[in-house]
Amino acid sequence: MKKLGLFISAALVSSSLTLAIAPAQAKLPFSIGSQEMPSLAPMLEETTPAVVSISVKGTHEIEQQRIPEAFRFFFGNPRQQPQERPFRGLGSGVIIDADKGYIVTNNHVIDEADEIMVTLKDGRQIEATKLGSDKDSDIALLQIEADELTEIVVSDSDELRVGDFTVAIGSPFGLGQTVTSGIVSALGRSGLNIENFEDFIQTDAAINSGNSGGALVNLRGELIGINTAILGPNGGNVGIGFAIPSNMMRNLVNQIIEFGEVRRGVLGVTGLSVNGEIAKAMELETNQGGFVEQVAKDSAAEEAGIKAGDVITKVNGKRIKSFSELRGKIGSIGAGKDVKITVVTREGKERTYKVTLKKPQSPKLEAVKLHNMLDGAQLESHEDEKGVKGILVTSVAEDSPAHYIGLQANDVIIGVNRTKTNNMGELREFFKDREGLFALNVLRGNTTLYLMLR
């Protein structure tokens, strides 16, 4: 469950809503007398197999209740040990690549889970592997191995307009797949303190707990968002639901596939949202956007020419309403990517800058998170011209642990022990909670060798 204001639930779908659809946008499978009846059924028959139910099991640590000071004379002062408590959870997910078995869901659905089980619409149950996740944006990527999967078509969420019809698909309360409908109520919702990076689609499609990670689609059955949270007084639906836009999801998932994690780009500005009061005080000609208070030295923004006092009004040609929305959009774009930033300058002129986002000031090496003997190696997911997948070693620092075990630049890690690793996410998942001696299977030119990790 996620809480905000009165209540925010770990999202979504249950009740139904009557929706009048223009006949031009819906198929007409049957009629009563001479009256043709519009229906979403043909679209849903093609789309719903791409939405799955997710059940998880695991344990999390809880602190034991501390002994009050007045009673420590009788019980002493034993060291407080964290206690593990088992948990179970339910959510939803969306198949975005049938060939590779990729499923997108929310991070909070699978966070801390030891077992992730996916149930397809046809009833098949398959254990999933977590390839990577991002807590700050609440996105996670899973993978299953199965035949005859159905993937969803991902739409361009930047083309959405308030008033567009929406359909939410998921498994609320563990009831099984459920469909509800509504419209886009608002775009670019941020500042809700649900996630660290927010740029939500708001919809009035009925949404309830257990639908987190499910699909928000348009009338063509294309994915426009990942259902994430609801606003309600007691966890019930009141017609205010939030979904992560499909473009934001796609940016984040592509980074997880390539690196095994999200590597955010940094613009290098601090500021606040423009409102009437700020616009009056600064004599601005706009009442919306992100007012730039400071530009960090040697940042992407400084190199592009953005200055303190500018108001950022658009990202890649799409208007933004607040600094929070700016932060959410930039936060889903990877380091090294180019982005067009439009500003209204202090002189009142509109200018557009091409900005190449930089890495955070103190990036953590991916190798440190995998195994301490890989410290000093820069790694990235890789696929060669022959279709061989693995993890490419782009560089190895001299006298580092990775150098000590014999790892070299241009080596390709293709497995550990007898487990094949196709990307950074799979390599990280292998090392998770494992100790002991490991044999790193490395492809060096046309030669295969093993390097030992102790």
Side-chain angles (χ1 to χ4, degrees):
M1 293 288 180
K2 297 206 163 210
K3 296 187 177 179
L4 164 69
L6 296 175
F7 187 87
I8 288 219
S9 163
L12 313 115
V13 232
S14 180
S15 68
S16 60
L17 233 144
T18 303
L19 175 63
I21 303 170
Q25 294 184 333
K27 295 183 179 179
L28 307 173
F30 63 89
S31 64
I32 297 178
S34 61
Q35 182 182 5
E36 295 178 326
M37 302 295 293
S39 176
L40 294 175
M43 177 273 285
L44 291 171
E45 287 169 359
E46 296 180 4
T47 305
T48 52
V51 182
V52 304
S53 176
I54 297 175
S55 60
V56 300
K57 293 192 297 185
T59 58
H60 52 222
E61 291 185 352
I62 58 171
E63 290 188 4
Q64 293 185 13
Q65 188 173 358
R66 295 185 178 277
I67 300 173
E69 190 73 34
F71 293 98
R72 289 183 183 175
F73 176 80
F74 301 100
F75 296 99
N77 189 21
R79 184 179 178 183
Q80 299 296 317
Q81 296 290 337
Q83 190 177 41
E84 288 193 343
R85 176 172 294 178
F87 71 88
R88 294 174 180 265
L90 296 171
S92 306
V94 186
I95 301 172
I96 60 168
D97 190 318
D99 293 334
K100 297 180 180 178
Y102 288 159
I103 297 174
V104 174
T105 186
N106 286 138
N107 175 71
H108 74 260
V109 171
I110 52 84
D111 192 30
E112 298 184 358
D114 298 323
E115 180 182 305
I116 305 170
M117 191 66 64
V118 169
T119 302
L120 305 178
K121 189 183 178 183
D122 62 14
R124 285 181 290 170
Q125 290 189 319
I126 305 161
E127 189 167 358
T129 300
K130 175 183 170 183
L131 297 185
S133 63
D134 182 52
K135 185 176 182 180
D136 288 337
S137 58
D138 204 12
I139 281 291
L141 181 65
L142 310 178
Q143 187 174 36
I144 60 174
E145 292 185 7
D147 298 325
E148 299 181 1
L149 296 176
T150 299
E151 67 184 48
I152 202 162
V153 176
V154 181
S155 180
D156 181 358
S157 56
D158 284 344
E159 298 300 319
L160 285 175
R161 298 177 300 170
V162 173
D164 286 349
F165 288 117
T166 61
V167 178
I169 311 170
S171 303
F173 304 113
L175 293 173
Q177 197 171 86
T178 305
V179 177
T180 57
S181 60
I183 63 170
V184 173
S185 304
L187 295 167
R189 285 295 194 214
S190 58
L192 305 174
N193 297 319
I194 304 173
E195 313 299 348
N196 200 6
F197 293 92
E198 300 177 344
D199 183 24
F200 291 120
I201 300 167
Q202 182 181 323
T203 180
D204 67 345
I207 283 171
N208 286 288
S209 180
N211 202 29
S212 290
L216 188 69
V217 304
N218 58 26
L219 293 189
R220 291 188 295 271
E222 299 166 341
L223 185 71
I224 59 175
I226 300 296
N227 297 323
T228 297
I230 63 172
L231 178 63
N234 295 301
N237 168 66
V238 293
I240 301 177
F242 301 100
I244 298 169
S246 57
N247 286 0
M248 183 175 182
M249 176 277 295
R250 182 158 36 195
N251 288 338
L252 296 166
V253 165
N254 286 342
Q255 293 175 56
I256 292 173
I257 292 172
E258 184 175 358
F259 305 115
E261 65 175 357
V262 172
R263 295 186 177 180
R264 285 190 170 81
V266 175
L267 182 59
V269 300
T270 58
L272 43 80
S273 299
V274 175
N275 55 29
E277 185 179 4
I278 293 173
K280 182 179 179 180
M282 300 300 297
E283 298 181 353
L284 302 175
E285 295 183 3
T286 177
N287 290 313
Q288 293 183 331
F291 180 77
V292 179
E293 292 183 301
Q294 285 185 302
V295 178
K297 184 176 177 58
D298 298 325
S299 66
E302 183 185 59
E303 291 180 1
I306 298 173
K307 296 179 173 60
D310 289 346
V311 177
I312 299 175
T313 56
K314 297 178 184 178
V315 176
N316 286 333
K318 301 296 180 180
R319 189 167 295 279
I320 62 164
K321 299 176 182 177
S322 65
F323 196 87
S324 296
E325 186 179 351
L326 168 69
R327 188 170 181 272
K329 288 187 180 297
I330 294 296
S332 69
I333 302 173
K337 301 293 185 180
D338 291 333
V339 59
K340 291 181 180 179
I341 302 293
T342 301
V343 308
V344 176
T345 68
R346 292 170 292 182
E347 294 77 26
K349 297 180 180 179
E350 185 175 87
R351 294 192 60 182
T352 298
Y353 300 96
K354 181 181 177 182
V355 182
T356 303
L357 300 180
K358 291 192 171 185
K359 296 179 181 179
Q361 291 293 331
S362 301
K364 294 180 180 179
L365 290 177
E366 175 66 22
V368 175
K369 299 179 182 180
L370 298 170
H371 191 284
N372 57 6
M373 293 307 294
L374 294 177
D375 190 9
Q378 293 285 353
L379 310 173
E380 62 182 43
S381 299
H382 174 74
E383 181 174 354
D384 65 17
E385 63 278 359
K386 297 180 181 178
V388 177
K389 298 178 182 179
I391 297 92
L392 176 66
V393 181
T394 58
S395 65
V396 178
E398 191 173 354
D399 296 326
S400 66
H403 180 259
Y404 174 76
I405 65 170
L407 207 57
Q408 299 178 10
N410 298 318
D411 283 351
V412 178
I413 300 170
I414 57 176
V416 187
N417 294 349
R418 294 184 179 275
T419 301
K420 183 173 176 56
T421 53
N422 293 310
N423 51 52
M424 291 293 293
E426 292 182 6
L427 187 62
R428 175 193 286 160
E429 187 65 26
F430 180 88
F431 283 119
K432 183 180 179 182
D433 301 326
R434 279 193 171 103
E435 296 180 353
L437 181 68
F438 301 104
L440 201 67
N441 191 0
V442 172
L443 186 63
R444 183 174 294 166
N446 295 322
T447 303
T448 300
L449 60 145
Y450 285 87
L451 303 177
M452 305 309 294
L453 306 182
R454 294 175 173 83

